[in-house]
Amino acid sequence: MIIIGELLNSTREGIRRAVGECDAALIKDLATKQQAAGAAYLDVNAGAFAEREIEQLEWMIRTVREATALPLCIDSPKPEALDRGCAIAGGSLIVNSISAESERFQSVLPIVKQYNTGVIALAMDDAGMSNDEDTVYNVACRLAERLMAEGVAPERIFLDPLVRPIGANSSYGRLALNLIRRIWDTFPEIHRICGLSNVSFGLPKRRILNRALLILAMASGLDAAILDPLDAPLMAHLKAAEALLGYDDYCMNYIAAARSGAFDGID
Ligand code: THG
């Protein structure tokens, strides 16, 4: 499982305050902790700052870079922010995100090509997000095919069904799971990704839902996730699911995690 740490996101109150006050220590601490917990990428999002987004994103990236050289996932709908982020971050990168919306596709694709990045591809187009599974599936397929036709190798593409809160519509969990499975069947070389924490907005005890979604989505073919790597039970269940699905020969990783103390306090 490719883990993208979600915690450096300015829509989170603590991060918004830290960025607003230039609290570099807090940002660096969260970068280091997510890396130690197993993140392969750190998502960096300054979207809460609207017209100052680019400037604040730049500060966040430079600050993270003082703590770690870990690959970053630059998270913004704005091509200008993605471009600046890629230019200053260096190293291996994921652009988060492109979609089949015509303007966004046209403006984000050159960034993916120029910096040779991975790219998260959201299954939405100019009509927005449909609730009809076949419609979303067709948008996802068209988007994947267009990216590959443009020379983006399938291993660089992360298709995202864009999980929405089940509190808003009880079919959104099943919809995302079915899409992950169908995308996996159609394009086995393209990664399947989602943001777990979206699913639980507005509901109590959100982590319970996020953890359950991870297991279900892994069974459906999820191989990358934007999540909170500091949620120890989530990470423990991730390792258990990898072992149960046959991705962990002789359960070596599971056993190593248990021995390292990563499961301490989890019964
Ligand atoms: N797909 C892609 N990118 C994404 C998402 C996705 N980026 C953003 C998001 N979804 C994933 N990241 C988060 C980060 C925080 C929260 C949810 C998803 C979250 N924040 C709480 C809130 O806003 O209420 C605050 C939590 C806190 O303060 O600790 O839930 O799906 N490609």
Side-chain angles (χ1 to χ4, degrees), residues 6 9 11-13 43 75 96 120 122 160 162 195 197-198 201 206 226:
E6 74 178 12
N9 190 317
T11 62
R12 302 178 64 234
E13 191 46 46
D43 192 80
D75 187 351
N96 183 11
I120 297 179
L122 300 182
D160 185 339
L162 205 55
S197 307
N198 309 348
F201 275 124
R206 292 182 56 186
I226 305 170

Coordinates of all heavy atoms in Angstrom, one line a residue, residues 6 9 11-13 43 75 96 120 122 160 162 195 197-198 201 206 226, ligand 1:
E6 N -2.0 12.7 5.2 CA -3.0 13.7 4.9 C -2.9 14.9 5.8 O -3.6 15.9 5.7 CB -4.4 13.2 5.0 CG -4.9 12.9 6.4 CD -6.3 12.4 6.5 OE1 -6.9 12.0 5.5 OE2 -6.8 12.4 7.7
N9 N -2.6 19.7 5.9 CA -3.7 20.2 5.1 C -4.3 21.4 5.8 O -4.8 21.3 7.0 CB -4.8 19.1 4.9 CG -5.8 19.5 3.9 OD1 -6.3 20.6 3.9 ND2 -6.2 18.6 3.0
T11 N -7.0 22.9 5.6 CA -8.4 22.8 6.0 C -8.5 22.3 7.5 O -9.6 22.4 8.1 CB -9.3 21.9 5.1 OG1 -8.8 20.6 5.1 CG2 -9.2 22.5 3.6
R12 N -7.5 21.7 8.0 CA -7.4 21.3 9.4 C -7.1 22.6 10.2 O -6.1 23.2 9.9 CB -6.4 20.2 9.6 CG -6.8 18.9 8.8 CD -5.7 17.8 9.0 NE -5.8 17.4 10.4 CZ -4.7 17.3 11.2 NH1 -3.5 17.7 10.7 NH2 -4.8 16.9 12.4
E13 N -7.8 22.8 11.3 CA -7.7 24.0 12.0 C -6.3 24.3 12.6 O -5.8 25.4 12.4 CB -8.7 24.0 13.2 CG -8.9 25.3 13.9 CD -9.1 26.5 12.9 OE1 -9.9 26.4 12.0 OE2 -8.4 27.5 13.2
D43 N 1.1 14.7 1.6 CA 0.2 15.6 1.0 C 0.3 17.0 1.6 O 0.4 17.1 2.8 CB -1.3 15.1 1.1 CG -2.3 15.9 0.2 OD1 -2.4 15.5 -0.9 OD2 -2.9 16.8 0.7
D75 N -1.2 19.3 -3.4 CA -2.7 19.1 -3.4 C -3.4 20.5 -3.6 O -3.4 21.3 -2.7 CB -3.1 18.5 -2.0 CG -4.6 18.2 -1.9 OD1 -5.4 18.6 -2.8 OD2 -5.0 17.6 -0.9
N96 N -1.7 16.5 -7.3 CA -3.1 16.2 -6.8 C -4.0 17.4 -6.9 O -4.0 18.2 -6.1 CB -2.9 15.7 -5.3 CG -4.3 15.3 -4.7 OD1 -5.2 15.1 -5.4 ND2 -4.3 15.2 -3.4
I120 N -2.7 12.2 -9.6 CA -4.0 11.7 -9.1 C -5.0 12.2 -10.1 O -5.1 13.4 -10.4 CB -4.3 12.1 -7.7 CG1 -3.3 11.5 -6.7 CG2 -5.7 11.7 -7.3 CD1 -3.4 11.9 -5.3
L122 N -8.9 12.5 -10.8 CA -10.3 12.5 -10.2 C -11.3 12.1 -11.3 O -11.3 12.7 -12.3 CB -10.6 13.8 -9.6 CG -9.7 14.4 -8.5 CD1 -10.3 15.7 -8.0 CD2 -9.6 13.4 -7.3
D160 N -8.8 8.1 -8.8 CA -9.4 8.4 -7.5 C -10.9 8.5 -7.8 O -11.4 9.4 -8.5 CB -8.9 9.7 -7.0 CG -9.4 10.1 -5.6 OD1 -10.5 9.6 -5.2 OD2 -8.7 10.9 -4.9
L162 N -13.0 9.6 -5.9 CA -13.5 10.8 -5.1 C -14.6 10.3 -4.1 O -15.8 10.5 -4.4 CB -13.9 11.9 -6.0 CG -13.8 13.3 -5.3 CD1 -12.4 13.6 -4.8 CD2 -14.2 14.4 -6.3
G195 N -9.1 9.2 -0.8 CA -8.9 9.9 0.5 C -9.9 9.2 1.5 O -11.1 9.3 1.2
S197 N -10.6 9.9 4.7 CA -11.3 10.6 5.8 C -12.5 11.4 5.2 O -13.3 11.9 6.0 CB -10.3 11.6 6.4 OG -9.2 10.9 6.9
N198 N -12.6 11.5 3.9 CA -13.8 12.2 3.3 C -15.1 11.5 3.7 O -16.2 12.1 3.8 CB -13.8 12.2 1.8 CG -12.5 12.7 1.2 OD1 -11.7 13.3 1.9 ND2 -12.4 12.6 -0.1
F201 N -17.2 12.6 7.1 CA -17.5 14.0 7.4 C -18.9 14.0 8.1 O -19.8 13.4 7.5 CB -17.5 14.9 6.2 CG -16.2 15.4 5.9 CD1 -15.6 15.2 4.6 CD2 -15.4 16.2 6.8 CE1 -14.4 15.7 4.3 CE2 -14.2 16.7 6.5 CZ -13.6 16.5 5.2
R206 N -15.3 9.3 13.7 CA -15.0 9.2 12.3 C -14.0 8.2 12.0 O -14.0 7.5 11.0 CB -14.5 10.6 11.8 CG -15.6 11.6 11.8 CD -15.1 12.9 11.3 NE -14.5 12.8 9.9 CZ -13.9 13.8 9.3 NH1 -13.8 14.9 9.9 NH2 -13.4 13.6 8.1
I226 N -4.8 8.2 0.8 CA -4.5 9.4 1.5 C -5.2 9.3 2.9 O -6.4 9.1 3.0 CB -5.1 10.7 0.8 CG1 -4.6 10.7 -0.7 CG2 -4.7 11.9 1.5 CD1 -5.2 11.7 -1.5
Ligands
THG1 N1 -8.7 12.8 -2.9 C1 -7.6 13.5 -3.3 N2 -7.1 14.4 -2.5 C2 -7.7 14.7 -1.3 C3 -8.8 14.1 -0.9 C4 -9.3 13.0 -1.8 N3 -7.2 15.7 -0.6 C5 -7.9 16.2 0.6 C6 -8.7 15.1 1.3 N4 -9.4 14.4 0.3 C7 -7.8 14.2 2.1 N5 -7.3 14.9 3.2 C8 -8.1 15.2 4.3 C9 -7.6 16.0 5.3 C10 -8.3 16.2 6.4 C11 -9.6 15.7 6.6 C12 -10.1 14.9 5.6 C13 -9.4 14.6 4.5 C14 -10.5 16.1 7.7 N6 -10.3 17.2 8.4 C15 -11.2 17.6 9.5 C16 -12.2 18.5 9.0 O1 -12.0 19.3 8.1 O2 -13.3 18.6 9.6 C17 -10.4 18.2 10.6 C18 -9.6 17.1 11.3 C19 -8.6 17.7 12.2 O3 -8.6 18.9 12.5 O4 -7.8 16.9 12.7 O5 -11.4 15.3 8.0 O6 -10.3 12.4 -1.5 N7 -7.0 13.1 -4.4

